[in-house]
Amino acid sequence: MNKLDYLRENLEMCDEIILDALTMRYRMIEDITAYKRKKDLPIVQPEEEEKKRRLLLSRMTDHRHTDNVMDVFDSIILNSKKIQSQQIFDYNIVLIGFMGSGKSTISRALSKVFAMDVIEMDQVIADREGMSISEIFEVHGEEYFRNLETELLREMQNRKGVVISCGGGVPMRDENVVEMKKNGKVILLTAAPETILERVRNNHDRPLLENNKNVDFISELMEKRRSKYEAAADIIIQTDGKSEFEICEEIISHAKKQ
């Protein structure tokens, strides 16, 4: 055997070790997730991920391949999160609620914790139309925009395991609620009017609130929408005074009972 053949054979052995280790790791992820769910333990533990990363970095000090190894490690963690999410959510998560209730924040948190794809409906529509939501309202009218929302919800039925963050008016259409429930669990995020005002105060892409940023107007509009929101929801979660990870755990807790 020449030197090159010898090196290639050793490389193949390394590949086999890596494959076996990955298979074992992903099986352990499934076992850990199942155990946590059975014992009602927290699923979201970002400190564990950071702990693993620090440990790996400490072992790679001054190694010339540190960046390459860390890149592979990040990919392994990403796929571990996806395996975890598939065990917990075999459906889409549809977030509804009044503007400023925390839909975008919780979408990002779920994406970080579970590597789930996020569909921000307003952003997708704005990107496709090449204009802001305010401009769509001004140029084409509200009915045109609402029709775009309905079509996007239908499109999302071809996806699975994604987070769909809905605009505030989406649940006001009964047909939208029907489309949401076809392959998703609808989660209503709520907050006090004072909290909503604080969250949207400096945002200027909310056509319905732009000239009405006060507690009384927000309270009145929230009350008008409340019955529709609650009728659409499978799960209702209050977001005031809670961290994004606490809210994620609450969503997971409800998912266990579904």
Side-chain angles (χ1 to χ4, degrees):
M1 180 183 294
N2 62 39
K3 180 69 175 289
L4 182 58
D5 289 338
Y6 171 77
L7 292 172
R8 283 174 173 167
E9 186 174 286
N10 279 300
L11 183 61
E12 288 178 5
M13 290 176 60
C14 287
D15 289 342
E16 289 180 8
I17 292 170
I18 292 170
L19 289 173
D20 288 343
L22 284 175
T23 301
M24 182 184 297
R25 188 185 205 283
Y26 291 147
R27 188 163 56 242
M28 290 300 298
I29 290 294
E30 291 177 334
D31 291 344
I32 290 170
T33 303
Y35 181 83
K36 284 181 175 180
R37 297 187 73 186
K38 182 179 180 180
K39 297 296 184 179
D40 202 28
L41 297 172
I43 300 290
V44 182
Q45 294 181 297
E47 68 280 0
E48 284 297 317
E49 180 182 338
E50 185 56 34
K51 178 182 174 182
K52 290 184 179 71
R53 189 176 183 83
R54 286 198 304 269
L55 178 61
L56 183 58
L57 280 169
S58 70
R59 295 177 60 184
M60 296 294 296
T61 303
D62 297 326
H63 196 288
R64 67 181 184 277
H65 296 306
T66 297
D67 290 344
N68 302 93
V69 172
M70 293 308 299
D71 185 57
V72 172
F73 179 75
D74 289 340
S75 179
I76 290 170
I77 293 297
L78 182 69
N79 282 287
S80 295
K81 291 178 179 181
K82 289 181 179 179
I83 288 171
Q84 207 173 34
S85 71
Q86 289 162 7
Q87 278 188 274
I88 299 171
F89 306 111
D90 61 350
Y91 47 79
N92 291 335
I93 297 175
V94 185
L95 299 179
I96 65 171
F98 197 78
M99 56 194 84
S101 61
K103 300 186 296 292
S104 294
T105 298
I106 299 309
S107 294
R108 288 192 295 269
L110 287 169
S111 177
K112 180 178 180 180
V113 171
F114 292 118
M116 300 174 77
D117 290 336
V118 174
I119 305 299
E120 285 277 0
M121 288 188 64
D122 281 355
Q123 189 60 54
V124 170
I125 291 172
D127 289 344
R128 289 179 176 180
E129 294 294 304
M131 60 181 76
S132 69
I133 302 303
S134 297
E135 289 171 332
I136 295 173
F137 268 66
E138 183 178 345
V139 174
H140 299 292
E142 182 175 357
E143 184 69 14
Y144 177 86
F145 175 72
R146 298 306 176 193
N147 288 336
L148 293 177
E149 289 179 322
T150 302
E151 288 304 313
L152 183 54
L153 285 172
R154 290 175 180 151
E155 180 184 329
M156 287 303 101
Q157 290 168 24
N158 296 320
R159 303 285 299 275
K160 186 178 180 181
V162 302
V163 182
I164 304 170
S165 179
C166 299
V170 172
M172 302 305 290
R173 267 192 175 187
D174 291 339
E175 63 186 300
N176 286 350
V177 177
V178 172
E179 301 302 333
M180 287 184 223
K181 290 180 177 287
K182 284 183 179 177
N183 74 335
K185 296 294 182 183
V186 182
I187 299 175
L188 169 61
L189 301 179
T190 66
E194 293 79 7
T195 303
I196 297 292
L197 177 59
E198 187 61 31
R199 290 174 179 172
V200 304
R201 188 184 301 277
N202 297 317
N203 188 298
H204 299 288
D205 197 26
R206 314 275 186 171
L208 296 177
L209 283 187
E210 187 54 35
N211 298 311
N212 297 286
K213 289 180 179 176
N214 59 78
V215 170
D216 289 342
F217 181 84
I218 291 172
S219 297
E220 183 179 349
L221 188 53
M222 288 179 72
E223 184 58 30
K224 287 179 180 178
R225 293 183 172 185
R226 183 175 61 82
S227 61
K228 286 283 190 180
Y229 281 5
E230 292 180 356
D234 297 305
I235 301 164
I236 300 176
I237 296 177
Q238 185 77 25
T239 64
D240 292 278
K242 297 176 184 175
S243 72
E244 58 189 47
F245 291 119
E246 287 174 328
I247 296 169
C248 286
E249 276 295 347
E250 198 166 338
I251 291 172
I252 294 166
S253 178
H254 283 288
K256 296 176 187 176
K257 303 171 185 176
Q258 298 298 316

